[in-house]
Structure formats: C-alpha cells, structure tokens
Amino acid sequence: MSLLHVFGFGLKVGHSLWMLCCWVVSVVSMNWFIHGGIENTKTGFLGDGRKMWVECWERILGKSWKIHNFYYQSIGSKKVRIVWWRRVLALWLLFWVLASMWVFWYMNGQTTERRKEALASMCDERARMLQDQFNVSMNHVQAMSILISTFHHGKNPSAIDQRTFARYTERTAFERPLTSGVAYAVRVLRSEREQFEKQQGWTIKRMDELGHNPVQKDDYTPEALEPSPIQEEYAPVIFAQDTISHVVSVDVLSGKEDRENVLRARASGKGVLTAPFRLLKSNRLGVILTFAVYKRDLPSNATPEDRIEATDGYLGGVFDIESLVEKLLQQLASKQTIFVNVYDTTNPSHPISMYGSNVSNDELEHFSSLNFGDPYRKHEMRCRFKQKSPWPWLAITTSVAIVVIASLVGQILYATVSRIVKVEEDYKEMMELNKKAAAADIAKSQFLATVSHEIRTPMNGVLGMLDMLMDTELDGTQQDYVRTAQGSGKTLVSLINEVLDQAKVESGKLELEEVSFDLRAVLDDVLSLFSGKSQEKGVELELAVYISDRVPKILVGDPVRFRQIISNLMGNSIKFTKAGHIFITVHLVEEMMDSIEVETLSSSKNTLSGYPVADRRRSWEGFRAFNQDGSTCSLKSSSSDFINLIVSVEDTGAGIPLEAQSRIFTPFMQVDPSISRTHGGTGIGLSISNYLVSRMNGEIGFVSVPEIGSTFTFTAVLRNGSSNSNEEQSQQMNGQSNSVSSELKGMTALLVDHRPTRAKVGNIVINMVLVEQEVWERDASTSTLFTSNLRKFDHGAPKLFLLAKHTSSSRMNTTISGVYSPTVITKPLRASKVSADLQRALGIGNKGNPIPSLSLRNLLIGRKILIVDDNKVNLRVAAGALKKYGADVECAESGIKATNMLKPPHPFHACFMDIQMPGMDGFQATRIIREEEHRYNNSIHHDDNVSNWHVPILAMTADVIQATHEECLKCGMDGYVSKPFEAVQLYREVSRVVPFV
C-alpha cells in the first residue's frame, strides 16, 4: 500500500509542480508579449507569434488538466478493481520476463565477446611470434644466398665446399630457429651435365618420384633414386646442411611443383614458398623457402629475363612446420588453453593443413593471417579453445533473479492492491457499521431520553405530592407511610440515574462540573442519607467520618459526582456489613503517613468498633502518588491551588472472595448472582465510581479479606476554593450551613471514650461532657459517682451528653441520684445534627425545626414566576414548591401561551419551562422569547441606567443526557432542573439567576 501511496503522491506533487511552472511561465511570457516585446517589433509578425504562443500554452494547459482529471477519475476517486490489477500484474510479469531474456542475451553476448577477444588476443600473439621467427629465418637464408654468390661463384676456385657449408650452417642454426636445414642447388645446363656429373662424381637424381611414393624415415637411400631425365637445365643440390644431407645430388627441377617455385623465385628475385609436402626421410609436413643466387648484382628494375640469365643457383631453406609450431607452443606452455592450427589457404576452397587437428568442442574460432614473405602463398592460423564455453551462470542467475524479484514485487503489489481493495471494502463496511452504530447510538440516546422523561415525569409528580403531603398534618403512621413511599421513589430514581450514568460513561459524554462546595457538608449529607439504613441493621453497626484539619473547608470540583462516589462505596458497605463499623476518612495525600494517628491494623484495639479490619495501606499500594514502600510523593504541581485528596471507606463486612476481586470494577458484574436477589442493585456502582475517579485525575483501589472486611481508597485532584463572605452566604442559601454553630464557639467540653478513634471522631465541639455509651453503661456506680461530682461545680453543672448508637439502646429514662438524665445524641455523629442537638439541649440558637420557618417562607415574596408545563401534576408540584418560599406563581400549559405571556414588557422575574411539550417545545419557545427580547431591546431608547430586557428561563427536563443540557444553553436558557425535583432545587436556581434574592 505504501508504494501505491508514494506513486499517487508523486503524481500529485508532479502535477502541482507542472501546473505551477506552467502558470509562472505563462504569466511571465504573456507580460513580456503584452508590455515589452510588442512595442519593439513589427506588428504583423509579433501578432501572429503572440497568437501561436497563446494557443500553444492553452493546449499544454488543456492536456495538463486532462491528465489531472484522468488521474483523479481513474485512481483518485474510483475504487481500484482487482481484475484490472490482475491484468496489470500479468503485463508486469510479461514485461520483466522479456527484460530478463534481453538481459540474458546481452550478458551472454558480452561473455562471448570477451571470449572472442581473449581468443583473438592469444591467437594473434602466437601468429605474431611464429611470423617474427619465420622472418628472422628467412632473412638469414637470404643472407646465405648472398654469401654463396660471393664466396662460391665469385671466387675461383670456390671458397665453399660441402664440408665448409655443413659446418657453417650447423654453427649458425640458432639464427634460423624455424629451419630444419639449408641446401644449395646449382644451375646446370643440359650441355654441362656430363662434365658436372664427372666433376662431382655422382649422377643427378630425379626428385618427382618421391612425391608419388613417399618413403619412411629409415628406408630412404639416395642411391636408390633414378637419374634425372634429360631436360634443358638442371638444379642438383651440391651443398646441404647435415640434417638434410640426403638431398645432395637431387635435381629440384625434376619435381613439378618444385620446378614452378624455383622458376618463380629466379624470375621475381624474392623468396618463394612451396606448398606443404612430406619431407624426405622425416615424412613430416614442411615447406621450402627458395631464393635465387645471381652472378652479379641486379638493378631493382631488372626484367625477369635479366634475372633468369644472371641466375647461378638456388638456395633453399627447409621448414618443418609441425616441429616448429610445437617448439613455439612449448614456449607458451602456461597459456596452452587453445588449439592452434596452421593452414595454407592459397586455394581457399581446399586449404592445406600444415599443423594441428580439428578436434574441439568449442564452436568459437579465430583466424589470424600469416605473412611469410611470398605474396603468392596465403597462410593463416586458426585457434579454438580447448574447453567448451562454460554455462553463462552470471547471465542465468541475473535473469532468473530479475524474474524472481519482478514476481515478488508483482506479488507484493498485487497483495498490496488486494489489501487496499480489502481495506476499502472494510472501510466501506465499517462506515456502514459506523452509520448503523451512530443511528443505534442516536436511537439509544432517544430511547434513554424518552424512558427517562416518561419515568421521571410521573415520579416528579409522585415525589412532589409526597413532599407536599409531608407538610400537612399527619399522624405518626401516616408519616411513616409517606416516608416509605418517598424512599421507594428515590430508590427508583437512583436506579434510573445509575443506568443513565453508565450509558454516559460508555458513550464518553459524562461531564464534570467546576463549582465550589463544602466537603464536610457533603459528607454530612452522606451520613444523613445512610444513617437510617445503619439503624435498620441494629445497634451493632456504627457509621463515622473523619476529615483531616489540613483539608480545606471549600473545594472546587463536582460535588454531585464526588458525593456519588462516596455514596456508591458507602452503599456497598451498608449492604454487606451486619456489625462493626463503616468508617470514612479524608486526608491530603502528602500528609497521609504523618497526620493519621489511627493505624489500620488487624488488631481490634485501635479500630472504630473494636472489630478487626483489613490493612488499608494495601489498598493504595499501586497508586502512582505513592512509592512502593508506601511513603508519599510530592505533588507534581507545586501550586497550592490543587488539592490531592485520599479518601478511604472502611467496613467490617463479609469481604470479597479472592476469585471475584479481579472483576470488581466490571460493569453489571457481581460477586455472586444470588447477591442481586439478596441485596439488590445493578452492579454498576463501582464501575461508575472508577470512571469518575479517573475523570478527577485520581486512582481507586481496594483491599478485602473474607470475613474481615473491605477498604476502598481513592484519590481525587480538586482545586482549593477561597471561602469569602459571598461564597459562605451562597452556601447557606444552598443548605450547606457551617459544621459547628457559631453559638457554640468558646465553650469547653470533656469527651470520654475508651477508644481513641471514636474520641477523635467525636471531638467536634469542646465545652460540655460527652460520654460514650459503652463507658457509661460499663459500671453503674462509676456513672453515679461521675454525676455526683458534676453537681459540685460552683457556677452550674456542665451538661452531660451520652453518645449512643441508637436511642433505644441507652438507659436514658433512668434518673441517676436525682440529678438528671443525660441527653442522648445518636450516632452517626453528623456535624449539623450534633450542633442542633447541643443547641436544643443548652437552650441556645435554632431548635432545629425542619419545617421552613417564617423567614424562609418570605424569601421569594414579591417575585413572580411563570411555570410552563403540559403536565398538570408537574405544574401543581412546581407551584407548590415555590409558594413555600413566598413566590407569586402563574402557570402556562403550552409553549405558545408562554411566548405570549413573556412578550416584553411583562411582570415575571423568572420562568421554569418544560422541554417536551406538544405543538411548540421548550427550545422553540425559548428562541422565540429571546428574539422578542432582542427586538424589544433594539426598539427602546435606553441610557446607562436602563439594562437590556432578559428574563431568566430555567428548563425543567426529565432528560439527563448531556446533549439535552447543551441544547438548553445553546437555545438561550439560563439553566436547568432535572426531574424529579425538590423544592430546595427550585429555590436554589431562582436564587442563582434572580438578583436581590
């Protein structure tokens, strides 16, 4: 795929560069034609040139655009067809097969040429050496002819005889390396024969019989030769080298071929070679080089007749070609890799072999010409390699490698294209699946929104009416029924919230807020939420919270999600813990090991309830914020704006089996299927908590010991909030009052508890005597003595308070020695509840009446609020909730009616608007209202004291999908309230958006 991408990228880059060059050249050339060239040349000529130039560039640009469009139509925009690529692959392979054949042919030809060059070099070298040595011998023979002419014919008597000639030729044989012998035949006329034979003492012998009846080397005898026949002249050999002394008395003119050579030699005055023939006695192939010996020096322009007349005799050198060539090749013994043949090619159609054989397996042959000085006779050397030409393995391997590489590249290209096609098909299928998944996600979101709306809307009516019912006069049984119904309704809403939160987690749409909140108030609310459930377990279960003093009072984060994490962990502990305690601790990570005085050990001495617990330090062993040895690491950020909290929830419950601990954070997974039937729940609380902790840049872990208990620990990074007066006022309006009432400041108290951990938790205020129930009930006499001592105070006995797990478990009805009964404060020790109980017992401050006081009923007096909802029950619930705070409420049952009522100017200070309404929904109605306000603000003339008209619109939605909330803000709403809502929620939103509340 990368190769195809590179090819496509190259085409794109090349096309872009080509278009840029064409544009630059066209602009420059056109400017030259228009502004420069036309003014300085003839109009007619340049006009035609300009037209031709424009037409040329238009054609070039047109072709370029065609190439560009063809590329994008054929490759860039269309799917690559696999069949087309198969054809391309076949053409590719065919091309490279032909290319490999050409490479083989070329490389084989190069190898053959190199062999030819090597053969030619070696053959020419041998021919040159043979020819050079022959020329040396020929020159020496010619010099001997001059010597004979001088010392034999020029002296009288002759200075040369047979013995002298033989000795001289023997001593000078090294100067004639190619001659096997030298002989001199004198010219004898017929009239001189008889006298010549008498003078020499032998008869002139005939020579031509030897050619027809060759004799062997050992059988030759000169006496057996016949006398030469009568003829005009004779040329008997009178002098001969010892090696050929057997030719003495032989008439060289009696042989036909020899006669012709002798006559041609005396007529031409040059050396003449005979045809190859069998030499006498040796019977080996040889040739005779003949020079004529003249009586006197002849001019260079002498005629043949002059030369014949001046001839005295003939000097011949015998050359044994076979032995001579063998001697030559022996000198080159290290280079004998070729066969050498020497031919007489005077007759081209019937060349005469002079040396060598035709036995060779190599067809490669080279001819080197030989020039032995006789222009009539033609000779040449033919050479062949001894070994047959080897296989051209380099050419074969190269061509095969080309085919193999081309096949591999073709296979890679084919596989790449196939992969591209597969990826395209998969991509198309994935896009289809993505569309289906998107549609399914939209359908899921719509389904969740619909289900949420359809369930929350009636639940809003149910819970709202139950809340209004609680404000009426009911007896104890009726109040219990109403509280039970409220709890069941809230449980159902909580279950719906968990399922929706899990859907948000899966889609990645769960968002966190950044608001200021009081951590102690949040945990106080959590204790309040679970205190009833802990009391249902009996007196053996105790709840407590400890927050380090170093934890800031105000933090910035998402209090709802932080509370959700604590509630999920606390809820699981409540489910599985029958006796002992559930203990929540909050510290800073950086002071964890130094600030906690309570060590979490397996011993029961230092625990909240005396029950053994799991070692909590093991729950954070894998955290990044700690080293392996458990010591803390410094925060990455040195800024004090960020607070890294570590929260632990410790219980003494049943614990988690070891085999189930690995899947504890898996959604919808529980330890045992029976758990869901025994304890209830969906199994997604821990999964959501894990996700929320990660969104808070923290980590979560746990340690669990079966039958001992579990400890869950998580960290969260929050920002430190500045607690100014405005924020405190806002928190008071939101129901987050100070943990300890200001009326209790300055008082002292004595806290009596035999367990240091509980004493630490109970150390909330210090000005009275607070005694743990277990200490009080352990020894009645000691309790009596204690109360007696309290009476001895001069300025009034301190108030005695008994810290009990449950009101029924204390002996609060027993009067001790007539003093007074201790006031009972039930656990868990929530800051707000302890403060209220102390104020009530001491007779100071607010008595803690839960019913809205008169001041609360007057908070919204004078504020007119419009409620828009098509559901009459929701209208009644919202109207009743706001009327608690003294607001003037009007209702509208449709979006159209609301737009008419909210046309500016109007008397309303705020509007609660439902989203899903028939005819005109809340979004459309809000847009219309904002448009009306915009037109009104543009039409009025306002100065600095007049502000733009804007009524706060708050959505009342049963949809908790983030997209719905975003759409609310997008269309111009100022906030939203989720159904089912409570009265305090409506008040908080009104107080947030309506000024001077």
Side-chain angles (χ1 to χ4, degrees), residues 769 785-793 796-800 819-820:
V769 179
L785 179 62
F786 183 78
T787 55
S788 298
N789 292 332
L790 291 178
R791 297 177 58 189
K792 298 178 181 180
F793 280 83
K799 190 68 175 178
L800 179 63
V819 181
Y820 48 78

Side-chain angles (χ1 to χ4, degrees), residues 453-468:
H453 184 273
E454 296 303 322
I455 294 178
R456 287 173 175 270
T457 298
M459 285 303 302
N460 182 60
V462 171
L463 295 178
M465 288 301 176
L466 289 174
D467 188 54
M468 295 174 65

